[in-house]
Amino acid sequence: MNVTLSNRPCLNQKGNIVGKNENKLKIKGSFSSAAGLRTSFLILFASSVLNLAELAALRPDLGKLKKVLYFHENQLAYPVQKCQERDFQYGYNQILSCLVADVVVFNSAFNMESFLKSIGKFMKLIPDHRPKDLEKIIRPKCQVLYFPVRFPDVSRFMPEHKLARLEKVIGVKRNGDAYQSEGLPGQQESRAVMKTSDAHPESGLCEPQPGLCTTQHEGLLSPAAAPVQAEAPESTNSCQGEDKQRLTFNLSNILSGLDYQQRPLHIAWPHRWEHDKDPETFFKVLMKLKEQDLPFHVSVLGETFSEIPDIFSEAREVLGSSVLHWGYLPSKDDYFRALCTADVVVSTAKHEFFGVAMIEAVHCGCYPLCPKALVYPEIFPAEYLYSTPEQLFKRLQNFCKRPDIVRRHLYKGETAGFSWAALGSKFRSLLAAEPREDL
């Protein structure tokens, strides 16, 4: 849990918002520590997972700063499996934090509205002496500022048909064996190339760094010529610990043989292996496709934690040879390479306040299918939304029969507005000593 104190907002190379000379006070464990205190700090930037009211009470010196609270999720709209006392406390802490904060920022309008409109109902869980009009008190402090996504240049991972599609949309000039990008979607202003990394593909606050920007990739390899093998990490869970060769992600095998347009539809599911992403709905739809002997491949990506829903082991066995990849890819390049070879990316989430993984997949040329709920109508045009599992099945059924439909499709939405290039100035204004009205 980190708190950043700043006297002159800027960005370091890791994408962290810091003050001049990278002065940061990290509050870990004991909030009463006075270590690192400076009187020159003007701004305190905190995540909504921090109990800001508690921090301000324990450290009144920090309470005098301009306090910016950023919500990447809210506990009032989180789908819990079983209501417990701690679930109430998490939401209550966020409400108290909003009362203490000077500015409350949400990563989507859905996040903001679902939080504010749930306060009244949530507070009814208190048996008596309930505070009133909390929404009216908090709402004037609130604003929406989308999470800034770092869009890498993924053209070097794209198969021929996706590159040809990009050429139609924004112009990708061929130059021998290389491609010169004039602006991939979301990259017109920020073209930092993602190098290999040990971290999972996550996006943060970052700016292009010198030496990382490029408009041309020398010696670009086609995906078929660039095999990559990445095994799933060790796990005691049966659905990940079995036959590792079956879990190997090898692009040379995926893309060899048939002409790309003749290959089965490739479906990607790049989400955490947890109940709030509703893997049950996703796998039941895929099992139904399998029952009808429809041709498709699937890559199940995303991170696993201590408890993995049982549906994963069942689905792994039923889907069998339809599985191209199963498990977490620790390398960013491998992750984006997998998305670039996919045709369709699916979300079945019951909990989503922004959805970096879906936006990244669209950036990699995937056709998105998302629930007509949560944040998705705010991010994606209506044609990419479905209302029921039956609608999702029918869309995928049609695509399995005619994968050329999605391979020729030109995405009708826009991703550039979610990039750091588009949002960086607004974050700088947010972290100015005085709030601005034009955010």
Side-chain angles (χ1 to χ4, degrees), residues 74-142:
N74 79 74
Q75 290 293 318
L76 304 194
Y78 188 85
V80 296
Q81 288 180 298
K82 183 170 61 176
C83 187
Q84 299 174 352
E85 183 178 350
R86 66 181 179 87
D87 295 324
F88 174 82
Q89 190 62 45
Y90 289 152
Y92 188 64
N93 289 346
Q94 289 189 329
I95 293 172
L96 293 180
S97 294
C98 288
L99 293 173
V100 172
D102 298 300
V103 183
V104 183
V105 186
F106 293 83
N107 63 353
S108 68
F110 167 74
N111 192 1
M112 181 176 74
E113 293 301 327
S114 64
F115 178 80
L116 292 174
K117 292 178 180 178
S118 297
I119 291 176
K121 180 181 178 181
F122 183 82
M123 295 302 291
K124 289 181 181 179
L125 295 172
I126 299 177
D128 52 20
H129 301 291
R130 301 168 188 152
K132 298 180 180 180
D133 300 324
L134 292 181
E135 179 185 348
K136 292 181 180 179
I137 296 172
I138 295 172
R139 184 176 284 276
K141 303 180 182 183
C142 298

Side-chain angles (χ1 to χ4, degrees), residues 326-374:
W326 193 265
Y328 174 72
L329 286 170
S331 163
K332 290 182 180 180
D333 275 2
D334 290 348
Y335 178 77
F336 286 117
R337 185 180 284 109
L339 291 178
C340 284
T341 63
D343 299 306
V344 178
V345 61
V346 175
S347 171
T348 46
K350 295 184 290 187
H351 161 240
E352 192 61 80
F353 295 109
F354 184 66
V356 171
M358 292 297 291
I359 294 175
E360 287 178 335
V362 170
H363 174 72
C364 292
C366 294
Y367 185 106
L369 287 174
C370 315
K372 192 176 182 179
L374 308 173

Side-chain angles (χ1 to χ4, degrees), residues 254-275:
I254 295 172
L255 299 177
S256 63
L258 295 173
D259 174 82
Y260 199 91
Q261 296 294 352
Q262 296 177 312
R263 295 182 185 123
L265 183 76
H266 183 181
I267 304 166
W269 194 81
H271 310 287
R272 285 183 288 105
W273 293 23
E274 293 187 304
H275 78 97

Side-chain angles (χ1 to χ4, degrees), residues 203-221:
S203 300
L205 308 181
C206 76
E207 290 180 319
Q209 301 297 325
L212 289 182
C213 297
T214 181
T215 57
Q216 182 167 314
H217 309 297
E218 296 182 4
L220 178 70
L221 294 176

Side-chain angles (χ1 to χ4, degrees), residues 4-252:
T4 298
L5 301 177
S6 176
N7 54 8
R8 183 181 176 185
C10 62
L11 295 170
N12 65 12
Q13 291 186 0
K14 294 182 180 179
N16 297 319
I17 299 178
V18 299
K20 187 176 182 181
N21 298 323
E22 297 190 14
N23 292 315
K24 293 194 293 182
L25 174 60
K26 294 184 178 180
I27 312 297
K28 295 184 178 180
S30 175
F31 288 162
S32 61
S33 171
L37 181 63
R38 287 171 55 98
T39 58
S40 60
F41 287 118
L42 301 175
I43 302 157
L44 188 151
F45 184 87
S47 165
S48 61
V49 298
L50 172 75
N51 189 331
L52 187 58
E54 185 179 74
L55 175 61
L58 291 172
R59 293 287 300 271
D61 52 309
L62 302 182
K64 299 176 183 178
L65 307 180
K66 175 186 174 182
K67 297 171 289 299
V68 179
L69 186 67
Y70 191 85
F71 274 74
H72 68 277
E73 56 83 28
N74 79 74
Q75 290 293 318
L76 304 194
Y78 188 85
V80 296
Q81 288 180 298
K82 183 170 61 176
C83 187
Q84 299 174 352
E85 183 178 350
R86 66 181 179 87
D87 295 324
F88 174 82
Q89 190 62 45
Y90 289 152
Y92 188 64
N93 289 346
Q94 289 189 329
I95 293 172
L96 293 180
S97 294
C98 288
L99 293 173
V100 172
D102 298 300
V103 183
V104 183
V105 186
F106 293 83
N107 63 353
S108 68
F110 167 74
N111 192 1
M112 181 176 74
E113 293 301 327
S114 64
F115 178 80
L116 292 174
K117 292 178 180 178
S118 297
I119 291 176
K121 180 181 178 181
F122 183 82
M123 295 302 291
K124 289 181 181 179
L125 295 172
I126 299 177
D128 52 20
H129 301 291
R130 301 168 188 152
K132 298 180 180 180
D133 300 324
L134 292 181
E135 179 185 348
K136 292 181 180 179
I137 296 172
I138 295 172
R139 184 176 284 276
K141 303 180 182 183
C142 298
Q143 60 183 260
V144 174
L145 189 50
Y146 290 118
F147 181 80
V149 180
R150 178 172 58 184
F151 289 114
D153 185 342
V154 294
S155 61
R156 65 197 189 280
F157 301 141
M158 286 185 170
E160 286 289 325
H161 76 281
K162 286 192 177 182
L163 287 169
R165 197 167 63 194
L166 281 175
E167 192 171 341
K168 291 181 181 179
V169 180
I170 43 80
V172 178
K173 295 181 179 179
R174 297 193 181 206
N175 181 14
D177 292 330
Y179 290 85
Q180 181 169 341
S181 167
E182 294 182 346
L184 300 176
Q187 291 175 214
Q188 292 88 339
E189 298 171 280
S190 178
R191 296 176 179 169
V193 176
M194 302 283 287
K195 303 298 183 182
T196 55
S197 171
D198 292 330
H200 186 268
E202 292 179 353
S203 300
L205 308 181
C206 76
E207 290 180 319
Q209 301 297 325
L212 289 182
C213 297
T214 181
T215 57
Q216 182 167 314
H217 309 297
E218 296 182 4
L220 178 70
L221 294 176
S222 67
V228 173
Q229 294 187 350
E231 292 183 347
E234 295 288 343
S235 171
T236 57
N237 185 276
S238 60
C239 70
Q240 282 194 300
E242 61 188 21
D243 188 3
K244 284 190 175 182
Q245 281 191 322
R246 297 173 67 194
L247 308 185
T248 299
F249 181 55
N250 192 326
L251 282 175
S252 61

